[in-house]
């Protein structure tokens, strides 16, 4: 059921008139009250129609969606994270009468102009994507999931809203869980892609390891798939100073670690702990099930649309939002006493 202004007013305990004034930035409403109304409306999924006029009045009401690191010719990866995010954004956009259109990498910018796309959501941008540059240069609004990996000050007049993964808090939550569970030599398994999420994760991992006075063991795969991850994990685990836990940046990494552990005869979680930052059906249904940090990508998609609505209404106070997450502890880190040697 669609949420209306009366639902928001009831949730806060205010009159509909006050809520309306706050949403439209009119009347004598304090900044604190207005922010409370905006936050509550956003959480409930309510956006007044006046917020949408900017988009409805610009071209076609289409929102371009692009994955910054997708391979050429592949409009979307088989990543469950990206799919869930796209689903959340599409649902939220449709409630506003908008459509989200998946834009393949290297799409001709003349085509984007003809279609009339002037608003965009870009997942893990490098900062030089055609969609990103087109929307900025035409004065539109771009919501990025993750920080652009390049400087963007001179890329155009458009407005950028950034939904930040909050890598420091995310990573430390996972690593602290491993440490508190008895693992003392965790390694980071990541991928060679030029996106800020991965580079920030590596930096924060080194910082955490330095604080714990333990080696910062980092390995990276050239490919985002299970087989490549398993190969890298086998090399890590077969060494003389093998890690006793592996933190991976996505599900392919975690599933690859499980495969490598089975091939080497290592018991999980007794001899090896595994944790990942994507909570997907494959992670949940694996044997053993894998401990995961869940960023709730569907909610990120919804938040991207909410931020776009805010930007179109002239509210730039929420241009940079951290992503809330949950830690789900499963079999892969439920360590019991075991002598690895």
């Amino acid at each position: 059921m669609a949420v209306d202004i009366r639902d928001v007013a009831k949730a806060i305990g205010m009159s509909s008139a006050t809520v309306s004034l706050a949403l439209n930035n009119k009347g004598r409403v304090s900044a604190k009250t207005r922010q409370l109304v905006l936050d509550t409306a956003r959480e409930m999924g309510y956006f007044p129609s006046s917020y949408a006029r900017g988009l409805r009045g610009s071209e076609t009401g289409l929102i371009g969606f692009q994955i910054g690191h997708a391979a050429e010719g592949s409009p979307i990866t088989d990543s469950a994270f990206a799919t869930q995010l796209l689903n959340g954004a599409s649902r939220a956009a449709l409630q506003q009468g908008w459509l989200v259109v998946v834009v393949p990498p290297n799409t001709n910018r003349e085509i984007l102009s003809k279609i009339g796309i002037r608003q965009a959501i870009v997942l893990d941008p490098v900062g030089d994507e055609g969609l990103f540059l087109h929307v900025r240069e035409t004065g539109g609004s771009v919501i990025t999931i993750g920080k652009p990996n390049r400087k963007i000050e001179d890329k155009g007049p458009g407005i950028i809203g950034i939904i930040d993964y909050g890598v420091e808090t995310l990573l430390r939550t996972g690593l602290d869980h491993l440490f508190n569970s008895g693992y003392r030599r965790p390694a980071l398994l990541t991928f060679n892609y030029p996106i800020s999420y991965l580079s920030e994760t590596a930096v924060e991992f080194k910082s955490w390891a330095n604080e714990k006075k333990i080696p910062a063991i980092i390995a990276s795969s050239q490919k985002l798939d299970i087989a490549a991850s398993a190969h890298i994990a086998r090399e890590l685990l077969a060494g003389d100073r093998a890690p006793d836990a592996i933190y991976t940046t996505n599900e392919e990494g975690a599933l690859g670690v499980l495969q490598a552990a089975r091939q080497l005869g290592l018991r999980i979680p007794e001899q090896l702990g595994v944790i990942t930052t994507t909570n997907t059906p494959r992670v949940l249904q694996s044997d053993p099930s894998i401990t995961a940090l869940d960023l709730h990508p569907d909610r990120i998609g919804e938040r991207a649309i909410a931020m776009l609505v805010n930007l179109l209404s002239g509210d730039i106070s929420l241009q940079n939002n951290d992503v809330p997450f949950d830690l789900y502890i499963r079999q892969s880190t439920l360590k019991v006493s075991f002598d690895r040697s």
Side-chain angles (χ1 to χ4, degrees):
M1 182 179 295
V3 177
D4 63 27
I5 196 170
R6 291 168 295 183
D7 298 316
V8 177
K10 183 177 180 180
I12 304 175
M14 296 180 182
S15 68
S16 296
T18 300
V19 170
S20 177
L21 290 172
L23 289 170
N24 292 286
N25 198 23
K26 296 180 179 179
R28 295 182 178 179
V29 179
S30 69
K32 182 178 180 180
T33 297
R34 182 172 184 268
Q35 193 59 54
L36 173 62
V37 171
L38 289 172
D39 290 344
T40 304
R42 189 178 304 108
E43 291 171 2
M44 296 178 68
Y46 172 73
F47 310 115
S49 58
S50 60
Y51 274 24
R53 287 173 191 159
L55 184 55
R56 289 198 179 106
S58 70
E59 319 296 350
T60 58
L62 299 177
I63 303 172
F65 176 86
Q66 191 172 73
I67 300 175
H69 60 278
E72 185 174 352
S74 300
I76 191 166
T77 69
D78 59 359
S79 163
F81 184 92
T83 301
Q84 292 172 24
L85 191 152
L86 178 59
N87 286 339
S90 297
R91 286 194 303 268
L94 193 58
Q95 291 178 356
Q96 303 302 319
W98 313 335
L99 288 176
V100 176
V101 179
V102 177
V103 178
N106 301 321
T107 297
N108 188 302
R109 289 161 71 178
E110 291 183 6
I111 294 177
L112 296 175
S113 296
K114 290 179 180 178
I115 295 174
I117 293 180
R118 292 195 59 199
Q119 322 297 333
I121 298 171
V122 183
L123 173 61
D124 290 327
V126 173
D128 61 358
E129 293 80 7
L131 176 63
F132 182 95
L133 297 177
H134 164 76
V135 172
R136 286 218 67 200
E137 290 173 3
T138 55
S141 299
V142 181
I143 306 300
T144 72
I145 315 299
K147 301 172 185 174
N149 205 38
R150 298 182 181 179
K151 292 184 178 181
I152 56 177
E153 291 84 357
D154 300 322
K155 296 294 184 180
I159 301 174
I160 298 176
I162 300 172
I163 297 180
D164 192 359
Y165 290 115
V167 168
E168 179 179 1
T169 303
L170 179 72
L171 180 86
R172 287 175 178 269
T173 297
L175 292 176
D176 287 344
H177 165 67
L178 290 175
F179 202 82
N180 293 336
S181 298
Y183 299 102
R184 291 296 180 265
R185 285 180 55 81
L188 170 66
L189 177 56
T190 184
F191 296 88
N192 288 330
Y193 287 115
I195 58 177
S196 63
Y197 162 64
L198 297 180
S199 59
E200 289 178 7
T201 296
V203 170
E204 289 299 334
F205 180 82
K206 292 176 183 177
S207 176
W208 180 88
N210 183 60
E211 291 173 14
K212 296 295 184 183
K213 296 181 173 18
I214 59 176
I217 306 170
I218 301 177
S220 59
S221 171
Q222 297 293 335
K223 295 182 179 180
L224 185 65
D225 62 42
I226 296 173
S229 299
H231 175 74
I232 298 298
R234 280 195 303 272
E235 292 183 344
L236 270 177
L237 296 169
D240 294 334
R241 296 177 61 80
D244 61 359
I246 298 181
Y247 178 110
T248 76
T249 50
N250 55 39
E251 63 173 335
E252 289 84 3
L255 295 171
V257 171
L258 292 193
Q259 186 180 109
R262 284 194 293 268
Q263 293 168 343
L264 294 172
L266 295 175
R267 295 174 57 186
I268 297 175
E270 292 89 350
Q271 292 173 287
L272 181 69
V274 184
I275 186 171
T276 187
T277 54
T278 51
N279 189 41
T280 66
R282 289 197 296 178
V283 164
L284 175 61
Q285 296 164 11
S286 64
D287 183 20
S289 58
I290 301 173
T291 294
L293 292 151
D294 192 349
L295 289 162
H296 304 291
D298 56 333
R299 298 181 194 172
I300 295 177
E302 293 171 355
R303 180 176 293 198
I305 297 299
M307 183 179 287
L308 182 58
V309 168
N310 282 340
L311 293 180
L312 292 171
S313 70
D315 181 359
I316 62 173
S317 62
L318 297 175
Q319 277 186 278
N320 196 319
N321 269 349
D322 287 347
V323 175
F325 61 88
D326 291 301
L327 170 64
Y328 294 102
I329 301 172
R330 301 195 178 104
Q331 295 170 336
S332 68
T333 58
L334 291 175
K335 188 177 183 181
V336 296
S337 178
F338 188 88
D339 184 0
R340 181 180 174 122
S341 62

